[in-house]
Amino acid sequence: MNLPTPAVVAERSTHPIPRWALLLLCAAYVLPGLFGRDPWRNADLTAYGFIASIAQGHAPWLQPAIAGLPADGGLLPYWVGALGIKLLPFLEPSVAARMPFGLMLAAVLALAWYSCLHLARTEAAQPVAFAFGGEAHAVDYARAMADGCLLALIASVGLLRLGHEITPEILQLLGITLFVYSLAALPFRRGKARAAMFTALPVLATSGAPAVALALSIGALWLCYRSTYEDARKFLPWILGAMALAALVAWPMHGWAWRVKASERSVLDWLRLLGWFCWPAWPLAAWSLWRWRSHLMRRHLSVPLLASLVPLLTSLLMGADDRAMLLALPPLAVLASFALPTFQRSASALLDWFSVFFFTAGAIFLWLYYTALQVGWPAKFLANVRKLAQGYEPEFSLLTFVLALLGTLAWLWLVRWRTARHRHAIWKSLALPAGGVALAWLLAMTLGLHPLNYARSNKPLVDRIAAHVPRDVDCIAAPSLPTHALAALEFQGHWRVDATQNLAATACSIAISVQAEGTPTPPSGWKVLGVVRRPTDRFATYLVMQKDR
């Protein structure tokens, strides 16, 4: 039965974004941050430590480790990063490890575009046919919708930082986007759909998310079983095969782990996280589900809805985990695109003006801070930086200045274009949010790259510790340090570090411990050589100690 469609789209509203403009936007989003920075502390630096441990021969490929502590979760992300270091020996190791993950982020953007293109081509997703002609053509409509999906994904706040790290979640993000593409392309590209499914589920399983892979496959089996497409019903054995393969390869790759830690506060924390992390995709996706509510079982809604509900529920069960919620962003962007043909002009104008004021104010703020660092004005901004990052000395780079200036001029041109009259393209409402997020990231990775790197990297901490460590040290015992600090000591300080034994049993002559606050008190049998703090950390104190002889 053909149900009435809520999409009313004229032919003039399906002009696609010029390919050169779309490619420049993607480049401005993907490339900044690949070069010129260290791995940042916490998950980014920890992942790099495991990658470097196998790339530099400190640990076997089947058991990457930092200071003797083995990695948990899937091994595939660490193998990918290590291969990047092996294949790009002319690059600095952290940059070489980052390159494959940058390519994966670009692949996620491309796959989301093609997924929406194929879903928008289905019969149930087509707009209303006008009585006297002039409605959108199917292919033009699908391309315009795909452009809107890509803009919604780039505009998603949660993807901004986590999407530019080298953590296993990037590979999981690629896996779930491949899953969506597989089901979306099934009626049009059977061979590619099968290959994508056989890649997507094992990739998820070997990068630390086998339970997500199994949940997605069960949902895909149900969708294909009840589908009216004959090709979809013939796809069932392929899903079962990919499901079995994912379950099997997760065992030797150490993918299975129990991570459920929901609590009474999880729901409120999850709702707060959802509110900003998935903005602006989640309100548009909710609007899509409401306006297309009579089509919920059609594949252009059911496929992205399934792929977004599984990671959202996973995030809730994991205590409002933002990295689990990251996987929901590509399918939510696909869902959000189907709100565009039904969007009201007032809501579109509200989103536009919010984006103009918010991102323009943010750009002015970053330029003022940059000016303060370079010329000393405004003085208050410079004082804030020196207070928060003790010992920081500004640097000037002509290349980053030019790139930031070009990005700012492009933003001003985009604002001028969007606020002009007679802009009918259905993706127009997401042009400013996506452009604003790309501008924010570009300015942060150009104007703010040096101070951010100083604040987020552990290299300044390693340099301060090095001043107290003897040059002929055999090894450093550090059983109480967080994993990212151990990775910094091993792969930025180039010391042999042991975190597996306590200070009473270690054979190392030098030890480092962390103390939250209070007067530094070394354990029995050790004397303090130096007390060190990270320049941007007011509380944690690192004690460099030597064993009493």
Side-chain angles (χ1 to χ4, degrees):
M1 181 179 65
N2 292 325
L3 299 173
T5 174
V8 180
V9 183
E11 183 178 1
R12 64 180 182 177
S13 299
T14 57
H15 296 297
I17 302 176
R19 297 302 96 175
W20 63 267
L22 202 60
L23 290 175
L24 279 179
L25 177 64
C26 292
Y29 188 78
V30 174
L31 293 179
L34 285 180
F35 306 94
R37 71 175 181 90
D38 297 323
W40 287 350
R41 60 193 180 98
N42 296 328
D44 193 33
L45 182 53
T46 299
Y48 173 69
F50 289 122
I51 289 170
S53 71
I54 53 179
Q56 299 177 8
H58 294 209
W61 284 71
L62 289 176
Q63 191 63 76
I66 297 174
L69 301 178
D72 58 351
L75 301 179
L76 184 60
Y78 308 129
W79 291 359
V80 171
L83 286 175
I85 295 177
K86 294 287 189 181
L87 296 175
L88 302 171
F90 50 88
L91 292 177
E92 198 274 329
S94 65
V95 175
R98 202 175 292 125
M99 296 304 292
F101 292 86
L103 292 175
M104 283 187 275
L105 178 60
V108 167
L109 299 179
L111 287 168
W113 190 90
Y114 279 105
S115 299
C116 187
L117 175 76
H118 291 308
L119 290 174
R121 289 176 60 189
T122 58
E123 182 181 355
Q126 293 301 304
V128 172
F130 297 168
F132 300 100
E135 70 276 5
H137 298 294
V139 175
D140 295 337
Y141 170 73
R143 287 176 177 171
M145 293 285 283
D147 289 346
C149 170
L150 182 58
L151 294 178
L153 183 56
I154 291 177
S156 298
V157 176
L159 187 64
L160 188 60
R161 180 179 64 85
L162 298 184
H164 292 86
E165 294 182 344
I166 58 173
T167 55
E169 287 76 22
I170 305 303
L171 208 57
Q172 297 173 18
L173 193 69
L174 177 62
I176 199 166
T177 315
L178 268 171
F179 172 83
V180 176
Y181 171 80
S182 175
L183 295 180
L186 182 57
F188 310 100
R189 301 284 190 272
R190 283 183 295 177
K192 292 182 179 179
R194 292 169 180 174
M197 183 61 71
F198 255 87
T199 304
L201 297 183
V203 162
L204 281 167
T206 54
S207 57
V212 172
L214 293 183
L216 290 172
S217 58
I218 292 172
L221 287 171
W222 180 72
L223 290 180
C224 290
Y225 175 76
R226 62 168 306 280
S227 175
T228 57
Y229 288 97
E230 183 179 355
D231 288 338
R233 293 191 293 273
K234 292 180 179 180
F235 198 53
L236 290 172
W238 295 88
I239 300 175
L240 286 171
M243 179 180 178
L245 179 61
L248 289 175
V249 297
W251 289 106
M253 298 283 279
H254 306 161
W256 295 101
W258 182 259
R259 299 186 179 93
V260 175
K261 53 180 180 181
S263 63
E264 295 180 358
R265 296 187 55 188
S266 293
V267 175
L268 291 179
D269 293 340
W270 181 82
L271 290 174
R272 281 193 291 266
L273 177 66
L274 177 67
W276 69 265
F277 192 87
C278 299
W279 176 271
W282 76 262
L284 295 177
W287 181 254
S288 295
L289 295 176
W290 171 251
R291 291 303 308 270
W292 294 82
R293 57 191 180 277
S294 57
H295 296 71
L296 288 180
M297 300 312 299
R298 301 289 187 172
R299 62 184 302 103
H300 66 287
L301 295 179
S302 59
V303 169
L305 182 59
L306 165 69
S308 56
L309 285 178
V310 170
L312 287 176
L313 180 59
T314 303
S315 172
L316 177 60
L317 293 176
M318 294 177 63
D321 187 84
D322 57 345
R323 296 183 179 275
M325 190 175 287
L326 177 70
L327 307 189
L329 293 180
L332 278 178
V334 175
L335 269 180
S337 65
F338 287 97
L340 300 179
T342 68
F343 221 35
Q344 297 178 357
R345 183 175 298 181
S346 58
S348 177
L350 179 63
L351 187 59
D352 284 336
W353 286 112
F354 172 80
S355 301
V356 168
F357 285 115
F358 181 80
F359 291 112
T360 302
I364 293 173
F365 183 79
L366 287 173
W367 274 106
L368 285 175
Y369 261 105
Y370 180 75
T371 304
L373 291 175
Q374 300 302 323
V375 301
W377 182 89
K380 186 176 181 180
F381 283 50
L382 180 60
N384 288 339
V385 174
R386 295 197 180 280
K387 180 180 179 181
L388 294 174
Q390 299 176 4
Y392 172 71
E393 293 297 332
E395 289 186 3
F396 175 77
S397 170
L398 181 61
L399 177 60
T400 57
F401 174 78
V402 171
L403 291 175
L405 184 61
L406 292 175
T408 304
L409 293 176
W411 168 252
L412 295 176
W413 175 86
L414 180 62
V415 172
R416 174 69 179 85
W417 174 87
R418 181 64 190 96
T419 54
R421 296 182 179 181
H422 309 301
R423 304 302 181 192
H424 301 290
I426 56 176
W427 44 263
K428 63 184 183 299
S429 302
L430 289 171
L432 287 176
V437 168
L439 172 72
W441 182 248
L442 177 63
L443 293 184
M445 293 296 101
T446 51
L447 302 181
L449 178 59
H450 192 249
L452 278 175
N453 197 49
Y454 185 81
R456 297 287 300 170
S457 171
N458 270 352
K459 189 65 168 61
L461 173 64
V462 172
D463 293 339
R464 292 186 174 191
I465 290 176
H468 302 282
V469 175
R471 292 187 177 182
D472 58 346
V473 61
D474 51 350
C475 69
I476 296 177
S480 64
L481 264 61
T483 312
H484 64 86
L486 296 172
L489 293 176
E490 275 203 320
F491 303 106
Q492 291 177 325
H494 307 291
W495 295 300
R496 187 168 70 87
V497 183
D498 181 17
T500 59
Q501 294 183 335
N502 58 42
L503 297 184
T506 184
C508 298
S509 59
I510 300 295
I512 299 176
S513 66
V514 62
Q515 185 169 310
E517 55 184 270
T519 304
T521 54
S524 176
W526 295 86
K527 64 179 180 180
V528 176
L529 296 180
V531 179
V532 175
R533 283 185 178 175
R534 213 166 57 85
T536 55
D537 195 337
R538 299 181 180 181
F539 303 104
T541 300
Y542 292 84
L543 305 183
V544 182
M545 302 174 292
Q546 186 176 34
K547 185 179 292 186
D548 287 334
R549 300 185 184 277

